[in-house]
Amino acid sequence: MITRRLASTVSIPPTDKSPRKIVLVGAGFLGSYIAKALIADPRNRVLLVSRNPQKLHSQLSHLGSQILPPESADITLSSSSDSDNLKEAFKDASAVVSMVGILVGSEAKMNAVQWKGTANVSEIAKQVGVKRFVGISAIGADEGGVTAYWRTKALGEKAILENHPSATIIRPSIVFGPGDSFFNRFASLAKWLPFLPVFGGGVSRFQPVYAGDIARAVEICCRDEPEVIKQVGGRIIEAGGPDVYTYRQIMQLVLRYSGYEGRRAILSLPFWIGKIQGFFLEKLPENLFTVTRDQVEQLRSDNIVSPHPPLFSLNFQDLLKSFPSSLPSSAPGQAGLTSVESILPTYLGVQDRQEGKRTHGRSREQGLEEIKRLQKKQ
């Protein structure tokens, strides 16, 4: 638990005005949110590192000189120059944020990227003397997990903490926001399919968390004030939003806010059918319809913040409430979690609504009450 005394201490603006370089590795959808949160502090300079960072850099270049020229590097160190590129990128960095991760791939590829790749990033950061390290992992990470995704996420965490005992690990549930690959994907599927599939009745639970809330947490964890490091160093943070939904209820939200409610069904399929689909689809190039056997298997388990937090854990909401954002309007105690229903209407089905197609006019409050009613029935 974060103390009130400490919260009041860190709310004082830092007196050190010298520039701070923060490197984002594997920057993609979430990286754009983290970069914007970081540059709210005028001291911060953000460097993007990935195999192809130019696309994201071009999207952020309008933010000005705080976004540094990007650096291309392959974290699997497939060539001798990649190690040198990472060393150069990490030189004089105040913090490194590792967002290394893939959703689809063989166990060998998961090992190469999520485990070995993360280990390479954390080891090179240690070699050049980086003091602060933040790793983005996932709820469910477990060395004994049933899928390669969860196992390699856990092994990546282990490598980070071995190289940086004061690192902070953030484990999100489903991350949402404009540009996400989860809600947008199912909204796109709803355009092409007569139904949205759920497996095993869609009873597994999720706790969607807003990308902007994750970004605020990362910005806090990148600070080098001793009081902040004392609280976040060596900690694991399971990050979930304010509401828990079943998988079926999430599909209902997708249909509602993409404008397909009443026009598309939600069909429950047995897990074994999903496994058969995954066997064939995972062998094809990744596309809108891709599903893997591991992804189906993961749907057997809840993806929510644990009621029994792991050792050395830190409460996500307490972190956001206790440490103010670098934004001038932010103040301690005013950083609640963002509801999925306050954001989905801003980007799902927006084009259809602009074109005058069918909308349903439900407010966030009406939608939330309906979801709670559905939860009570189960």
Side-chain angles (χ1 to χ4, degrees):
M1 181 64 70
I2 298 175
T3 64
R4 292 180 179 273
R5 179 190 64 79
L6 180 59
S8 63
T9 301
V10 297
S11 64
I12 300 172
T15 56
D16 181 10
K17 302 297 183 182
S18 57
R20 303 169 65 247
K21 183 171 82 170
I22 299 176
V23 183
L24 306 185
V25 182
F29 153 67
L30 184 57
S32 66
Y33 287 80
I34 293 175
K36 292 171 185 176
L38 286 169
I39 67 168
D41 184 335
R43 299 176 301 163
N44 290 337
R45 305 291 183 268
V46 176
L47 173 62
L48 307 176
V49 175
S50 68
R51 285 193 301 172
N52 300 291
Q54 288 77 16
K55 181 179 179 181
L56 179 59
H57 180 265
S58 65
Q59 295 172 359
L60 298 174
S61 59
H62 70 281
L63 297 175
S65 60
Q66 284 180 265
I67 304 295
L68 301 173
E71 183 72 55
S72 297
D74 185 344
I75 60 167
T76 64
L77 307 186
S78 58
S79 69
S80 58
S81 62
D82 289 318
S83 178
D84 293 336
N85 290 345
L86 285 175
K87 288 179 181 178
E88 183 63 28
F90 294 169
K91 183 180 179 182
D92 300 323
S94 297
V96 167
V97 181
S98 173
M99 292 171 286
V100 174
I102 55 175
L103 294 174
V104 178
S106 66
E107 183 158 7
K109 187 174 182 180
M110 293 278 182
N111 280 326
V113 176
Q114 298 200 144
W115 176 17
K116 299 296 185 179
T118 301
N120 292 336
V121 170
S122 62
E123 184 175 345
I124 292 174
K126 179 183 179 180
Q127 289 175 8
V128 301
V130 174
K131 300 299 184 183
R132 293 294 300 129
F133 199 101
V134 180
I136 305 298
S137 184
I139 285 180
D142 182 354
E143 287 186 55
V146 297
T147 68
Y149 177 82
W150 281 337
R151 291 193 295 271
T152 53
K153 276 292 186 182
L155 289 167
E157 290 182 5
K158 183 178 180 180
I160 289 172
L161 292 172
E162 285 176 347
N163 287 308
H164 302 269
S166 64
T168 306
I169 305 295
I170 300 178
R171 296 176 176 174
S173 183
I174 296 172
V175 181
F176 69 89
D180 71 51
S181 61
F182 184 86
F183 287 95
N184 275 306
R185 179 189 181 193
F186 283 102
S188 295
L189 282 173
K191 295 180 180 179
W192 299 101
L193 298 177
F195 63 88
L196 289 182
V198 297
F199 296 105
V203 297
S204 54
R205 297 180 297 165
F206 295 83
Q207 197 168 348
V209 59
Y210 179 47
D213 291 344
I214 296 292
R216 287 192 292 136
V218 170
E219 188 275 322
I220 293 168
C221 293
C222 284
R223 299 178 192 179
D224 48 20
E225 288 91 342
E227 296 87 355
V228 178
I229 296 173
K230 180 180 178 181
Q231 292 298 316
V232 305
R235 300 301 188 100
I236 294 174
I237 303 171
E238 290 193 338
D243 304 307
V244 174
Y245 303 91
T246 66
Y247 195 33
R248 177 180 286 273
Q249 290 166 348
I250 286 177
M251 295 301 101
Q252 290 170 337
L253 292 178
V254 169
L255 294 178
R256 176 177 306 148
Y257 293 118
S258 61
Y260 289 98
E261 188 175 40
R263 300 159 60 190
R264 299 289 188 270
I266 297 175
L267 181 63
S268 177
L269 300 175
F271 282 108
W272 65 267
I273 289 182
K275 290 292 188 72
I276 292 175
Q277 290 178 327
F279 177 80
F280 292 102
L281 292 175
E282 67 190 28
K283 300 179 186 303
L284 301 175
E286 187 174 354
N287 58 72
L288 178 64
F289 300 97
T290 297
V291 65
T292 70
R293 285 170 290 177
D294 273 4
Q295 288 174 336
V296 174
E297 183 63 33
Q298 285 174 198
L299 289 173
R300 293 181 183 272
S301 303
D302 290 340
N303 193 265
I304 62 176
V305 174
S306 173
H308 306 291
L311 191 64
F312 305 118
S313 65
L314 186 65
N315 184 276
F316 181 56
Q317 187 166 11
D318 284 350
L319 174 69
L320 297 184
K321 286 185 175 181
S322 298
F323 296 95
S325 165
S326 293
L327 294 171
S329 60
S330 178
Q334 296 182 352
L337 299 179
T338 306
S339 168
V340 68
E341 292 198 62
S342 67
I343 302 295
L344 282 189
T346 68
Y347 67 100
L348 286 194
V350 169
Q351 183 176 357
D352 288 345
R353 290 196 294 273
Q354 290 174 341
E355 293 174 354
K357 295 184 179 180
R358 178 179 176 181
T359 60
H360 297 278
R362 285 185 173 85
S363 68
R364 175 190 179 279
E365 290 76 13
Q366 289 172 321
L368 187 57
E369 287 301 316
E370 184 168 341
I371 291 296
K372 288 179 177 178
R373 175 179 59 78
L374 290 169
Q375 288 173 329
K376 289 178 180 178
K377 287 183 176 182
Q378 295 180 354

